[in-house]
Amino acid sequence: MPLTKRLGMRASAGLTTLLTVALWAGLSLLGGVTDRALADDKPQSELLKPFQGTWATEGDGLDAKWTFEGEKVKATVNGTDYTCKVKVDTEAKPNPTLDLTIEEGPEESKGKVSKAIYKLDGEKLTLCVSVPGKDRPKDFAQTEDESYLFAMKKQKK
């Protein structure tokens, strides 16, 4: 067999291998996009189901009570009342997030967004919430003039 045919066969086998790898990589990426798209397709009401009800702090720290009803939350923090529209992203990394658009509350907060990260473990909800208009917290830690930490338990009806 001439050398050119042997080279042609090798080039063809190499091209087939390259195309197979490229196809596999493309399908893998598409699978990731599809999974994310499916999570994004879930209505907020579905994603917010685990939050529904009243949560309250106990003991030291901030005195807070949060009541989730549908896509809204009514929160009382140290005697100040807020009503917010809630948007959840359960797939955010490294922590799932909540965006709280303040509809009612102190004048300086209305219309602003408090960005939060959260941990939900059964009857325990930990939120780290930014001061309205500030960046999303990176850690579960209270930082003066930046973020507030809420460790809450679900209240019995």
Side-chain angles (χ1 to χ4, degrees):
M1 179 185 263
L3 178 62
T4 55
K5 281 194 170 185
R6 280 190 280 156
L7 287 176
M9 286 173 55
R10 284 188 186 163
S12 177
L15 184 58
T16 301
T17 302
L18 180 63
L19 288 174
T20 301
V21 170
L23 180 62
W24 176 82
L27 289 174
S28 294
L29 288 174
L30 182 61
V33 169
T34 303
D35 291 346
R36 178 64 190 211
L38 290 174
D40 290 342
D41 284 345
K42 284 186 181 176
Q44 285 293 304
S45 58
E46 183 76 22
L47 296 172
L48 286 165
K49 274 186 181 178
F51 294 91
Q52 300 305 296
T54 300
W55 303 79
T57 56
E58 296 178 347
D60 295 336
L62 295 169
D63 179 30
K65 182 171 145 182
W66 294 55
T67 301
F68 288 84
E69 297 173 350
E71 295 180 27
K72 302 262 186 184
V73 64
K74 292 181 181 183
T76 301
V77 179
N78 287 341
T80 303
D81 294 327
Y82 297 86
T83 300
C84 307
K85 182 171 172 94
V86 182
K87 183 176 179 191
V88 64
D89 183 350
T90 59
E91 302 295 319
K93 301 292 181 206
N95 297 296
T97 64
L98 291 175
D99 288 341
L100 306 161
T101 303
I102 301 169
E103 296 176 337
E104 295 178 29
E107 282 302 316
E108 67 274 8
S109 299
K110 283 185 185 176
K112 292 184 179 177
V113 177
S114 283
K115 298 176 181 179
I117 56 175
Y118 74 88
K119 289 187 232 177
L120 183 58
D121 184 20
E123 302 292 304
K124 293 180 183 179
L125 174 62
T126 304
L127 291 169
C128 192
V129 183
S130 72
V131 169
K134 299 279 185 171
D135 290 337
R136 189 176 314 281
K138 295 188 183 352
D139 300 311
F140 289 92
Q142 188 158 312
T143 306
E144 190 173 340
D145 297 326
E146 293 290 324
S147 61
Y148 298 98
L149 185 63
F150 300 92
M152 299 184 283
K153 288 188 177 181
K154 190 154 194 178
Q155 303 299 293
K156 305 288 181 200
K157 289 185 179 183

